[in-house]
Amino acid sequence: MTDGRVILIAGGSGSIGSAIARLALEQGWKVALHGRDAEKLQDVVVDLSDFGTIDGFAADIREDDAAETLIAEVAEQYGRIDAVIDCTATGPQGITGLFPGTSPEVFGDFLRVSVGWTQRLAHAAYELLAQQGGTLIAFVSDAGIYAAPRQTLIGAARAGTIGFVRNFAVEAARDGIRAHVISPSYVEGSESARRMGSERMAKAAQRAGLGLPTADDIAPLALFLCSDGARRMTGQVLSINGGLNA
Ligand SMILES: NC(=O)c1ccc[n+]([C@@H]2O[C@H](COP(=O)([O-])OP(=O)(O)OC[C@H]3O[C@@H](n4cnc5c(N)ncnc54)[C@H](OP(=O)(O)O)[C@@H]3O)[C@@H](O)[C@H]2O)c1
C-alpha cells in the first residue's frame, strides 16, 4: 500500500526522475518533485498532475543549505517523507575524457555536488525517514562500478557515492531506514542520450544484448526498492544496463 506515502524525487524534473514520478503517482504515492529550473519543473508538475498529488520544489543544489531547506519544505507540505530518490545529474565539462585532457580543478567541485549532495540529503532526511521506515536511493552511473577508459574522474566520484550509501545502509538499518544505489549506463530517450549523440548510443545498443533501458524500464526498480516487498534488503548496488556490463 502506498496511499498517503510521500516520495521526494531530487532531480525529478529530468528524464529518469520524471518517469519515476509518473509511476509513483500511478501507484498512489504523493510526489514532491525537485529540480533546478523552476519553469521546467513547473511544466513537468503540470504534465503529471492528472495522475495524482504532486508539487514542485525548485532549488539549486550548489546552494549551501539546499538539502536542509528542501527537506524542511517537503516536510511542511506533506508532514512526512517515506522515500527520497536522488536523480540529480550534475556533471560539468571536463569530468569525462582521457585523463590527461581532464581539468584537475573540476574534480573537487564535482565531488561536492555529487557525493556531497547525496550525503547532505540523507543527513537532512534521516529523522523523517526513520519515522516511516523509509528508503533512500541514489543514482550513479556504471563508471562507479566498472572500470573503463575516459571515466577516471566520474568513476571515482560515483564510487564515492556507492561507498557512502553502502556504509550508510548498514548503520541506518538499525533505525529502520533502507538505502540502495541504482546505476544506469546508457538510457535510451534520455537527455543524456541526446547529448551523447546517436552514433555512440547505437554502438552501445549493439553491445547490450537485452536492449538499452529507457527511463520507464528503470522506474519500476526504483519504486520496488521503496516498497514493502523490499523491506528486508538494503545496501545494494543495482546496475540496469541491458547486458552491457555485469
Ligand atoms: N540518462 C542516462 O543515460 C544516465 C546514464 C548513467 C547514469 N545516469 C544517472 O541517472 C541519474 C538521473 O539521470 P537523468 O538522465 O534523469 O538526468 P537529467 O535528465 O539530466 O536530469 C537531471 C536532473 O538534475 C537536476 N539538476 C542538475 N543540476 C542541478 C543543480 N545544480 N541543482 C538542482 N538540480 C539540478 C536537473 O534539473 P534542471 O534540468 O532544472 O537543471 C534535472 O532535474 C543521474 O544521477 C545520472 O547521472 C543517467
Side-chain angles (χ1 to χ4, degrees):
M1 278 295 292
T2 50
D3 285 350
R5 290 194 198 177
V6 175
I7 189 166
L8 164 62
I9 308 175
S13 59
S15 308
I16 296 173
S18 56
I20 297 172
R22 179 175 170 155
L23 186 61
L25 290 167
E26 288 172 356
Q27 291 184 359
W29 292 85
K30 291 180 179 166
V31 175
L33 202 75
H34 159 264
R36 174 174 44 184
D37 179 331
E39 214 171 299
K40 174 182 168 186
L41 177 66
Q42 189 53 26
D43 286 348
V44 179
V45 167
V46 169
D47 273 358
L48 294 178
S49 56
D50 283 350
F51 298 97
T53 303
I54 179 167
D55 292 285
F57 298 82
D60 190 329
I61 67 169
R62 290 176 176 279
E63 299 294 330
D64 256 356
D65 58 352
E68 293 76 13
T69 305
L70 174 62
I71 294 297
E73 286 175 0
V74 174
E76 190 179 334
Q77 174 86 8
Y78 296 108
R80 62 190 282 175
I81 299 179
D82 301 79
V84 175
I85 301 188
D86 182 14
C87 293
T88 51
T90 51
Q93 292 296 316
I95 205 73
T96 57
L98 293 174
F99 181 66
T102 55
S103 314
E105 67 278 7
V106 303
F107 185 61
D109 184 56
F110 185 65
L111 274 182
R112 186 176 72 79
V113 295
S114 55
V115 193
W117 162 253
T118 304
Q119 167 257 321
R120 286 193 73 157
L121 197 56
H123 196 269
Y126 195 95
E127 290 304 324
L128 288 153
L129 289 175
Q131 282 166 22
Q132 305 300 337
T135 309
L136 172 81
I137 295 176
F139 271 80
V140 299
S141 59
D142 271 4
I145 312 171
Y146 306 103
R150 311 178 68 87
Q151 307 289 310
T152 310
L153 299 188
I154 194 165
R158 295 310 206 174
T161 300
I162 292 169
F164 167 73
V165 172
R166 292 182 62 233
N167 284 278
F168 171 89
V170 172
E171 183 182 316
R174 299 170 196 169
D175 289 321
I177 300 173
R178 294 174 277 137
H180 299 285
V181 175
I182 296 179
S183 176
S185 185
Y186 294 83
V187 180
E188 205 73 76
S190 68
E191 272 303 315
S192 162
R194 273 186 283 280
R195 281 194 296 269
M196 278 181 205
S198 53
E199 198 178 324
R200 196 161 156 205
M201 288 299 292
K203 275 188 189 158
Q206 276 174 358
R207 291 189 287 124
L210 299 174
L212 294 176
T214 64
D216 287 334
D217 293 318
I218 295 171
L221 172 64
L223 291 172
F224 169 70
L225 294 174
C226 298
S227 75
D228 290 345
R231 68 187 177 282
R232 303 285 182 225
M233 64 184 286
T234 194
Q236 300 306 300
V237 181
L238 295 120
S239 179
I240 176 160
N241 59 45
L244 260 180
N245 299 309

Short mmCIF file of all heavy atoms in Angstrom, two decimals, residues 121-155:
data_model
loop_
_atom_site.label_atom_id
_atom_site.label_comp_id
_atom_site.label_asym_id
_atom_site.label_seq_id
_atom_site.Cartn_x
_atom_site.Cartn_y
_atom_site.Cartn_z
N LEU A 121 21.64 15.34 1.65
CA LEU A 121 20.22 14.99 1.53
C LEU A 121 19.86 13.89 2.53
O LEU A 121 18.84 13.96 3.22
CB LEU A 121 19.97 14.51 0.09
CG LEU A 121 18.56 14.47 -0.46
CD1 LEU A 121 17.86 15.81 -0.36
CD2 LEU A 121 18.58 13.98 -1.91
N ALA A 122 20.73 12.88 2.60
CA ALA A 122 20.50 11.76 3.53
C ALA A 122 20.50 12.27 4.98
O ALA A 122 19.66 11.87 5.79
CB ALA A 122 21.59 10.70 3.35
N HIS A 123 21.42 13.17 5.26
CA HIS A 123 21.52 13.70 6.63
C HIS A 123 20.27 14.50 6.99
O HIS A 123 19.68 14.33 8.06
CB HIS A 123 22.78 14.58 6.74
CG HIS A 123 23.20 14.85 8.14
ND1 HIS A 123 22.76 15.96 8.84
CD2 HIS A 123 23.98 14.15 9.00
CE1 HIS A 123 23.28 15.94 10.05
NE2 HIS A 123 24.02 14.85 10.18
N ALA A 124 19.84 15.35 6.06
CA ALA A 124 18.68 16.20 6.33
C ALA A 124 17.39 15.38 6.46
O ALA A 124 16.49 15.73 7.22
CB ALA A 124 18.54 17.24 5.22
N ALA A 125 17.30 14.28 5.71
CA ALA A 125 16.05 13.49 5.69
C ALA A 125 16.05 12.38 6.73
O ALA A 125 15.02 11.70 6.90
CB ALA A 125 15.86 12.88 4.30
N TYR A 126 17.15 12.19 7.44
CA TYR A 126 17.34 10.99 8.27
C TYR A 126 16.19 10.76 9.27
O TYR A 126 15.59 9.68 9.30
CB TYR A 126 18.68 11.06 9.01
CG TYR A 126 19.11 9.73 9.58
CD1 TYR A 126 19.97 8.90 8.87
CD2 TYR A 126 18.64 9.27 10.81
CE1 TYR A 126 20.36 7.66 9.37
CE2 TYR A 126 19.02 8.04 11.31
CZ TYR A 126 19.88 7.24 10.59
OH TYR A 126 20.26 6.02 11.07
N GLU A 127 15.89 11.76 10.06
CA GLU A 127 14.87 11.58 11.11
C GLU A 127 13.51 11.25 10.51
O GLU A 127 12.77 10.39 11.00
CB GLU A 127 14.76 12.83 11.99
CG GLU A 127 15.97 13.06 12.90
CD GLU A 127 16.25 11.85 13.79
OE1 GLU A 127 15.30 11.20 14.25
OE2 GLU A 127 17.44 11.55 14.02
N LEU A 128 13.18 11.96 9.42
CA LEU A 128 11.87 11.73 8.78
C LEU A 128 11.80 10.33 8.18
O LEU A 128 10.78 9.64 8.30
CB LEU A 128 11.64 12.79 7.69
CG LEU A 128 11.36 14.17 8.26
CD1 LEU A 128 11.78 15.27 7.30
CD2 LEU A 128 9.88 14.32 8.61
N LEU A 129 12.89 9.87 7.56
CA LEU A 129 12.91 8.52 7.00
C LEU A 129 12.83 7.48 8.13
O LEU A 129 12.13 6.47 8.01
CB LEU A 129 14.16 8.30 6.16
CG LEU A 129 14.21 9.05 4.82
CD1 LEU A 129 15.56 8.84 4.13
CD2 LEU A 129 13.09 8.59 3.89
N ALA A 130 13.51 7.75 9.22
CA ALA A 130 13.49 6.81 10.35
C ALA A 130 12.07 6.68 10.92
O ALA A 130 11.64 5.60 11.30
CB ALA A 130 14.48 7.25 11.43
N GLN A 131 11.34 7.79 10.95
CA GLN A 131 9.97 7.75 11.48
C GLN A 131 9.07 6.82 10.67
O GLN A 131 8.13 6.23 11.19
CB GLN A 131 9.36 9.16 11.46
CG GLN A 131 9.84 10.05 12.59
CD GLN A 131 9.49 11.52 12.35
OE1 GLN A 131 8.57 11.84 11.59
NE2 GLN A 131 10.22 12.41 12.99
N GLN A 132 9.35 6.69 9.37
CA GLN A 132 8.45 5.93 8.48
C GLN A 132 9.03 4.59 8.06
O GLN A 132 8.39 3.87 7.29
CB GLN A 132 8.16 6.75 7.20
CG GLN A 132 7.62 8.13 7.44
CD GLN A 132 6.30 8.12 8.21
OE1 GLN A 132 5.56 7.12 8.21
NE2 GLN A 132 6.00 9.20 8.89
N GLY A 133 10.24 4.25 8.50
CA GLY A 133 10.90 3.06 7.95
C GLY A 133 11.15 3.26 6.47
O GLY A 133 10.83 2.42 5.63
N GLY A 134 11.70 4.42 6.13
CA GLY A 134 11.77 4.87 4.74
C GLY A 134 13.01 4.39 3.98
O GLY A 134 13.85 3.64 4.50
N THR A 135 13.09 4.85 2.75
CA THR A 135 14.14 4.38 1.82
C THR A 135 14.84 5.56 1.16
O THR A 135 14.19 6.54 0.78
CB THR A 135 13.51 3.52 0.70
OG1 THR A 135 12.70 2.53 1.29
CG2 THR A 135 14.58 2.85 -0.16
N LEU A 136 16.16 5.43 1.03
CA LEU A 136 16.97 6.40 0.28
C LEU A 136 17.55 5.67 -0.93
O LEU A 136 18.10 4.58 -0.79
CB LEU A 136 18.12 6.92 1.15
CG LEU A 136 19.15 7.79 0.43
CD1 LEU A 136 18.63 9.22 0.30
CD2 LEU A 136 20.48 7.77 1.15
N ILE A 137 17.43 6.28 -2.10
CA ILE A 137 18.06 5.72 -3.29
C ILE A 137 18.88 6.79 -3.98
O ILE A 137 18.39 7.90 -4.22
CB ILE A 137 17.01 5.17 -4.28
CG1 ILE A 137 16.28 3.99 -3.65
CG2 ILE A 137 17.67 4.72 -5.59
CD1 ILE A 137 15.16 3.43 -4.48
N ALA A 138 20.14 6.45 -4.28
CA ALA A 138 21.00 7.38 -5.02
C ALA A 138 21.27 6.79 -6.40
O ALA A 138 21.58 5.61 -6.51
CB ALA A 138 22.31 7.58 -4.27
N PHE A 139 21.15 7.62 -7.41
CA PHE A 139 21.54 7.20 -8.76
C PHE A 139 23.00 7.52 -8.99
O PHE A 139 23.48 8.60 -8.62
CB PHE A 139 20.68 7.91 -9.82
CG PHE A 139 19.42 7.15 -10.13
CD1 PHE A 139 18.33 7.23 -9.28
CD2 PHE A 139 19.35 6.32 -11.23
CE1 PHE A 139 17.18 6.50 -9.54
CE2 PHE A 139 18.20 5.59 -11.51
CZ PHE A 139 17.12 5.67 -10.67
N VAL A 140 23.72 6.59 -9.58
CA VAL A 140 25.09 6.85 -10.01
C VAL A 140 25.16 6.46 -11.49
O VAL A 140 24.15 6.51 -12.19
CB VAL A 140 26.12 6.06 -9.16
CG1 VAL A 140 26.04 6.45 -7.70
CG2 VAL A 140 25.97 4.55 -9.33
N SER A 141 26.34 6.12 -11.98
CA SER A 141 26.42 5.55 -13.32
C SER A 141 27.41 4.39 -13.27
O SER A 141 28.19 4.27 -12.31
CB SER A 141 26.86 6.61 -14.34
OG SER A 141 28.12 7.12 -13.97
N ASP A 142 27.39 3.54 -14.30
CA ASP A 142 28.21 2.33 -14.28
C ASP A 142 29.70 2.64 -14.15
O ASP A 142 30.49 1.76 -13.78
CB ASP A 142 27.95 1.49 -15.54
CG ASP A 142 26.80 0.51 -15.34
OD1 ASP A 142 26.18 0.56 -14.27
OD2 ASP A 142 26.54 -0.29 -16.26
N ALA A 143 30.09 3.88 -14.43
CA ALA A 143 31.50 4.26 -14.27
C ALA A 143 31.98 4.06 -12.83
O ALA A 143 33.17 3.86 -12.59
CB ALA A 143 31.70 5.72 -14.68
N GLY A 144 31.07 4.08 -11.88
CA GLY A 144 31.43 3.88 -10.47
C GLY A 144 31.68 2.42 -10.13
O GLY A 144 32.21 2.11 -9.06
N ILE A 145 31.26 1.51 -11.01
CA ILE A 145 31.36 0.08 -10.72
C ILE A 145 32.35 -0.60 -11.67
O ILE A 145 33.16 -1.41 -11.25
CB ILE A 145 29.99 -0.62 -10.88
CG1 ILE A 145 28.89 0.15 -10.17
CG2 ILE A 145 30.06 -2.05 -10.36
CD1 ILE A 145 27.49 -0.38 -10.47
N TYR A 146 32.23 -0.29 -12.95
CA TYR A 146 33.01 -0.99 -13.99
C TYR A 146 34.04 -0.03 -14.56
O TYR A 146 33.70 1.06 -15.05
CB TYR A 146 32.08 -1.47 -15.11
CG TYR A 146 30.94 -2.31 -14.59
CD1 TYR A 146 29.67 -1.77 -14.47
CD2 TYR A 146 31.15 -3.62 -14.17
CE1 TYR A 146 28.61 -2.54 -13.98
CE2 TYR A 146 30.11 -4.39 -13.67
CZ TYR A 146 28.84 -3.84 -13.57
OH TYR A 146 27.82 -4.58 -13.07
N ALA A 147 35.32 -0.45 -14.51
CA ALA A 147 36.39 0.42 -15.00
C ALA A 147 36.33 0.54 -16.52
O ALA A 147 36.03 -0.42 -17.22
CB ALA A 147 37.73 -0.15 -14.57
N ALA A 148 36.62 1.73 -17.01
CA ALA A 148 36.64 1.96 -18.46
C ALA A 148 37.48 3.19 -18.75
O ALA A 148 37.62 4.07 -17.89
CB ALA A 148 35.21 2.17 -18.98
N PRO A 149 38.05 3.27 -19.96
CA PRO A 149 38.79 4.48 -20.31
C PRO A 149 37.85 5.68 -20.34
O PRO A 149 36.65 5.53 -20.54
CB PRO A 149 39.31 4.20 -21.73
CG PRO A 149 39.01 2.78 -22.02
CD PRO A 149 37.99 2.30 -21.05
N ARG A 150 38.37 6.85 -20.14
CA ARG A 150 37.66 8.13 -20.23
C ARG A 150 36.73 8.40 -19.03
O ARG A 150 35.99 9.36 -19.03
CB ARG A 150 36.84 8.23 -21.54
CG ARG A 150 37.61 7.88 -22.79
CD ARG A 150 36.75 7.94 -24.02
NE ARG A 150 36.37 9.30 -24.31
CZ ARG A 150 37.09 10.16 -25.02
NH1 ARG A 150 38.22 9.77 -25.55
NH2 ARG A 150 36.69 11.39 -25.20
N GLN A 151 36.73 7.48 -18.04
CA GLN A 151 35.77 7.62 -16.94
C GLN A 151 36.48 7.79 -15.60
O GLN A 151 35.86 7.60 -14.55
CB GLN A 151 34.88 6.37 -16.86
CG GLN A 151 34.19 5.99 -18.15
CD GLN A 151 33.09 6.96 -18.52
OE1 GLN A 151 32.24 7.28 -17.71
NE2 GLN A 151 33.13 7.47 -19.74
N THR A 152 37.76 8.15 -15.60
CA THR A 152 38.54 8.13 -14.36
C THR A 152 37.93 9.02 -13.28
O THR A 152 37.75 8.59 -12.14
CB THR A 152 39.98 8.59 -14.66
OG1 THR A 152 40.46 7.84 -15.77
CG2 THR A 152 40.89 8.36 -13.47
N LEU A 153 37.62 10.26 -13.62
CA LEU A 153 37.13 11.20 -12.60
C LEU A 153 35.69 10.90 -12.21
O LEU A 153 35.35 10.84 -11.03
CB LEU A 153 37.25 12.64 -13.10
CG LEU A 153 38.66 13.13 -13.42
CD1 LEU A 153 38.65 14.62 -13.72
CD2 LEU A 153 39.62 12.84 -12.28
N ILE A 154 34.86 10.69 -13.21
CA ILE A 154 33.45 10.43 -12.87
C ILE A 154 33.34 9.09 -12.14
O ILE A 154 32.55 8.94 -11.20
CB ILE A 154 32.54 10.50 -14.12
CG1 ILE A 154 31.08 10.56 -13.68
CG2 ILE A 154 32.76 9.37 -15.10
CD1 ILE A 154 30.11 10.99 -14.74
N GLY A 155 34.18 8.11 -12.54
CA GLY A 155 34.17 6.82 -11.87
C GLY A 155 34.56 6.95 -10.40
O GLY A 155 33.95 6.33 -9.53
#
